[in-house]
Amino acid sequence: MSTHFAYGVAVWILLWGLYGIVTSRHLVHLVGCLAVVQSSTYVLLLAIGYRTGGVAPIFKDVPPATAAVDPVVQALMLTDVVVQATVMALLLALSLEVGKKTDTFSPDAIRRMRG
Amino acid sequence: MESLAALPVVLPLLAAALIATLAKLLPRRIADGITLAVCAAVIAIEVRLIIGTWHQPFVTWLGGWKPRGPIALGISLHLEPLGLCFALLTAILVFAALVFALRYFDTVENHFHVLLLIFLGALSCLCVTGDLFNLLVSFELAGAVAYALCGYKTEDTAALQGAINFAVSNTVGALLVLWGLGLLYGRTGALNLEQIGTSIASSPPDALIVVAFTLVSCGLLVKAAMAPFHFWLADAHAVAPSPVCAIFSGVMVTAPLLALARIHASVFSVPFFPHENALREILLGFGTATALLGAILCFAQRHFKRLLAFSTIAHVGLMVTGLGLFAPAALGGTAIYALGHGLIKGALFLLAGVMLHRLGNVDELELRGKGRGLPLLGLAIALGALAVAGGPLSGIFAGAAAIEEEAKGAGYGWLPHVFAFTGIVTGAAILRATGRIFLGLGPVSSGAGAGGGQTGEAPETFGSEDRTPVPMIVAPALLLLLGLGLGAVPGLGELAMDQASRFLGQGPAGPPPTHALEPLANAVPRSLLLVALTIALAGIDLAQGKLGTGGRGLLIRVEKLLIHPLRLLHTGHIGDYVAWQVAGVAAFAFLCLYLLR
Amino acid sequence: MNGARLFLFGLGAGALAIALLLAVSGLPPVGDFRGPYGELINGLAGPERHVSNAVGALVFDTRGFDTLLEEFILFGSVTGTAVLLRPTHRQSSEGGKQMAGSDAADRLLVLLLIGASVTFGYYVVTHGQLTPGGGFQGGALLASVPLLVYLACGPGLLYRIVPRELVSGAGAAGAALYAGIGLLGLAAGGAYLENVLPLGPARPSIVSGGTIPLLGLASGLEVGAGFALLIRVFLEERHRE
């Protein structure tokens, strides 16, 4: 089981992030929990790509044939980090607007459409 | 054709960036002109690509990175007619939306054009990409601009609610897809769909494959708004500006279904083949539940755009059942259905925008009788309602006929009744609203309980309210004509079925066999019956006051036992929505784990 | 409603946990992954593209199309945020209220940091194909400079060094540049985003990699301008009240 511990950590982070979103009472807190959920995907991807004893995939000081960790997951993560940052910016802007209109940041304040 | 392949993606993106670079230096007219020109160019290129790939799909590798042996290095674009038709639909809808917004839509520094062009580029990529991560990033791109477009009317708190619920739900959905992608990459070391499929084809599926399938499907179905992942759509599509809603309901909810079909065909069709019946029943179950839920709630709405949003949910449910039949005829039928629905629903949302412009509101009860001076508008919406119900001649009719025929052949004779029910109820809801607004029929207050929170909407256009500007007439008329005309194309069902067979043959198994379809004319009598029942249902609801106590008692009991509890579930609170998402994914996962191994 | 929601979530999360744990147990043990895709890329970054950063080769060359979309996600989101936080008719733009200034020690520290940050940011952007880094990382570093200025000197100076039109135009230009460089491949008769420029010296240097360093510069411009604009837009919002 210790060989798959990192994956278990990713699952743990995912579920607690989702719990945070479901029970959140403040929109900015909710956005932070969304970031936590996204972190679980980073942990998963990087754990998958890891290679014991491998160097970083930069071949400046080491010969090109050295065993290195997987660069593909790192490229995926790079894209994901940018996507996360920008979606969070949008959500925070929306939350700010809600705060301006309703003087509160609670999700209960934005239940104008129901049923 | 190699050189044209990436252009439908690159041209809109480049144009968006250039418009934004010049920003204030660019007068509105020129930005309009550039955007329309780019859309027209994309439409032309898509048509050329469809013609070029009609008999043989075309694969191109971006960056010139061809595979080394069995390992794909670069990102591929897999051009074939079904996907290209969806991309074409997107371009048509964006074009219509821009025509609609010409000169009268309140936009700041041409940001509206920039966001719409980026959306077009994203969807053009999504429909043809052969790489799983690229698919996810395209969805994220479309989503990011969609969230901003949804919350455009920041003065309206309901718009903020819609945008936030939309953004959080869809981001969670995207993360589910990413989890599935990670699992698949960990197993196969590949991101290219065909390569993943070949890698996992040789062994029976274990828990990892099944859960990966669940995560990827559920993530996509969140974006497609299948129940129980559908809550966000009713909030979002009701508050976005009308031209934007047309694009959302027109293509943004059906593109994930295309992606799901492609992923299943390329990756999962071979490992899951022994259990295809079980998977079919799962999808039929979820799809039917979505259709019924959407239809019932559609009927209970007063906010016209929210009514249309619930009807979208219902039709998505029907399309999921079409996908779930796993046959070329059904897939072809679903494609026709999606194209027809996209055009008609797009037209309906644009017409709702005209209604908002002329009458200043979209609340059905408050607008009672106020539309008497706009007979053409009412007629157009009524036509759309009958098309939604499955009336003859629309794309919806042609697609449904193919799906229903396949269902009966496969032993699911109850499915056509679900199609009929959904069509009748959603069509009747729109027709009832038309009758109330444009003819002043129906009781002043709805006998059924109120609820649904905010039912009005702030205006989004400027300019005189006394006349409808020509672009706002031309755009929905064009879409309506195309949507109605789609069903008139001869031999459409067979054409779609052949293409679908080739589409399904993307994976290692090869194309499945096709068979002859019944002529479409045979389905017309039933279609006319549906139209009659739709008019009857709308009439009954409008004539509530004239019913006897027995009739009214029945209506009240239906409302209390059926409609009211369903409405209570739609709380508007994002925490509830995400809880339903988690529960839904878990249920789907356990059903798959139990039945697919 | 809260109790029902928690109950529903609890059931779902518990079941999902079991499903996910079953799934991840099928993954190879951590550290044993031998993905052929990654190994191929590691092997060819140096010989075929004359760069030493394999991740950079992946991001800007092999999977450059993903990066194009990602650039536009950033660009679209920044545009979208600016749209969402636009001043409505009731408000004026540019409140410009001065916050309590910080003292001389803070300002000196920030001054020193600014110089170091800008230099380091440019270094990271331009050396992306040689060392860990690249357009995105460098752009984020550069965008942190206006934030430092705000912390030391208040919003007025921030508004002066991040003029709204110029910076949003620069970000858009960066995105356009990225998409445009890809067209060079088409012009040369190849595929979109193909690396058709001369690859430079075989021993990786600052000019080697063909289109890779150019794409890196374009993305650095776009990311830096984009994040700087975000910072300005959010802080403007805060000081408007």
Side-chain angles (χ1 to χ4, degrees), chain C residues 17-81:
Chain C
I18 299 175
L20 289 175
L21 288 172
L22 276 176
V24 297
S25 60
L27 286 172
V30 179
D32 281 357
F33 185 66
R34 296 287 178 270
Y37 190 2
E39 295 193 336
L40 263 181
I41 297 289
N42 276 338
L44 59 83
E48 293 192 29
R49 286 292 181 264
H50 299 182
V51 296
S52 40
N53 183 352
V55 181
L58 206 53
V59 165
F60 290 120
D61 195 339
T62 321
R63 296 189 71 89
F65 200 65
D66 271 345
T67 314
L68 170 74
L69 296 179
E70 174 201 344
E71 293 273 321
F72 276 85
I73 292 180
L74 180 61
F75 169 55
S77 302
V78 171
T79 309
T81 309

Side-chain angles (χ1 to χ4, degrees), chain C:
Chain C
M1 213 56 202
N2 246 320
R5 179 193 313 158
L6 207 51
F7 179 68
L8 181 65
F9 174 74
L11 274 185
L16 189 59
I18 299 175
L20 289 175
L21 288 172
L22 276 176
V24 297
S25 60
L27 286 172
V30 179
D32 281 357
F33 185 66
R34 296 287 178 270
Y37 190 2
E39 295 193 336
L40 263 181
I41 297 289
N42 276 338
L44 59 83
E48 293 192 29
R49 286 292 181 264
H50 299 182
V51 296
S52 40
N53 183 352
V55 181
L58 206 53
V59 165
F60 290 120
D61 195 339
T62 321
R63 296 189 71 89
F65 200 65
D66 271 345
T67 314
L68 170 74
L69 296 179
E70 174 201 344
E71 293 273 321
F72 276 85
I73 292 180
L74 180 61
F75 169 55
S77 302
V78 171
T79 309
T81 309
V83 164
L84 290 174
L85 290 178
R86 67 186 183 276
T88 52
H89 306 293
R90 289 169 271 130
Q91 300 165 310
S92 64
S93 47
E94 303 238 14
K97 258 196 321 230
Q98 209 55 14
M99 54 180 235
S102 18
D103 56 10
D106 280 351
R107 295 198 187 194
L108 183 61
L109 181 61
V110 169
L111 217 58
L112 295 171
L113 278 177
I114 287 176
S117 299
V118 172
T119 315
F120 190 51
Y122 277 120
Y123 166 77
V124 171
V125 172
T126 50
H127 288 71
Q129 69 272 23
L130 305 174
T131 54
F136 297 97
Q137 297 90 324
L141 278 169
L142 288 173
S144 68
V145 172
L147 195 54
L148 289 173
V149 168
Y150 166 80
L151 286 174
C153 310
L157 194 55
L158 171 69
Y159 298 158
R160 278 184 22 218
I161 65 172
V162 184
R164 207 164 169 151
E165 281 95 40
L166 185 65
V167 172
S168 68
L177 212 60
Y178 193 106
I181 293 177
L183 289 176
L184 288 176
L186 282 180
Y192 181 72
L193 271 180
E194 193 164 340
N195 196 339
V196 292
L197 292 181
L199 287 174
R203 198 174 132 72
S205 79
I206 198 169
V207 294
S208 49
T211 54
I212 294 178
L214 291 179
L215 291 173
L217 288 175
S219 69
L221 174 65
E222 204 243 328
V223 172
F227 277 125
L229 187 64
L230 273 183
I231 290 174
R232 158 141 187 183
V233 164
F234 272 103
L235 290 174
E236 214 172 0
E237 183 64 35
R238 183 205 176 298
H239 284 278
R240 195 175 290 146
E241 295 126 26

Side-chain angles (χ1 to χ4, degrees), chain B residues 483-534:
Chain B
L484 290 174
L486 191 59
V489 173
L492 186 62
E494 274 83 19
L495 285 175
M497 183 173 64
D498 286 330
Q499 292 301 338
S501 169
R502 230 170 282 141
F503 181 91
L504 290 172
Q506 279 175 58
T514 61
H515 55 87
L517 284 178
E518 275 190 38
L520 203 52
N522 288 10
V524 170
R526 180 162 173 273
S527 163
L528 290 172
L529 176 63
L530 292 183
V531 167
L533 286 173
T534 307

Side-chain angles (χ1 to χ4, degrees), chain B residues 54-198:
Chain B
W54 193 256
H55 299 289
Q56 176 78 17
F58 181 73
V59 178
T60 176
W61 295 90
L62 290 161
W65 285 91
K66 299 211 168 42
R68 309 266 167 108
I71 301 174
L73 285 180
I75 298 174
S76 69
L77 294 181
H78 191 106
L79 302 171
E80 45 76 43
L82 277 188
L84 288 169
C85 280
F86 269 82
L88 179 62
L89 174 68
T90 313
I92 294 175
L93 285 172
V94 172
F95 187 84
L98 280 162
V99 168
F100 186 84
L102 217 52
R103 290 203 286 151
Y104 289 95
F105 189 74
D106 184 21
T107 173
V108 172
E109 278 182 31
N110 306 319
H111 284 313
F112 185 68
H113 300 68
V114 170
L115 293 173
L116 271 191
L117 280 172
I118 297 179
F119 188 87
L120 175 59
L123 268 144
S124 305
C125 179
L126 196 157
C127 294
V128 296
T129 182
D131 184 277
L132 188 53
F133 189 68
N134 198 26
L135 183 72
L136 179 62
V137 178
S138 323
F139 267 114
E140 288 290 280
L141 179 56
V145 295
Y147 311 149
L149 283 170
C150 183
Y152 203 83
K153 303 199 267 192
T154 47
E155 307 84 39
D156 187 2
T157 311
L160 300 173
Q161 170 193 358
I164 291 181
N165 291 353
F166 182 13
V168 175
S169 301
N170 278 32
T171 307
V172 171
L175 292 169
L176 291 174
V177 178
L178 190 53
W179 256 86
L181 184 156
L183 289 173
L184 286 174
Y185 183 74
R187 172 57 61 87
T188 64
L191 292 172
N192 180 282
L193 287 174
E194 282 184 34
Q195 193 186 338
I196 301 177
T198 324

Side-chain angles (χ1 to χ4, degrees), chain A residues 70 83 111-115, chain B residues 140 161 185 452 454 570-571:
Chain A
D70 193 62
V83 170
R111 294 179 51 196
R112 300 290 294 273
M113 311 212 85
R114 297 184 291 280
Chain B
E140 288 290 280
Q161 170 193 358
Y185 183 74
Q454 173 174 323
H570 292 69
T571 59

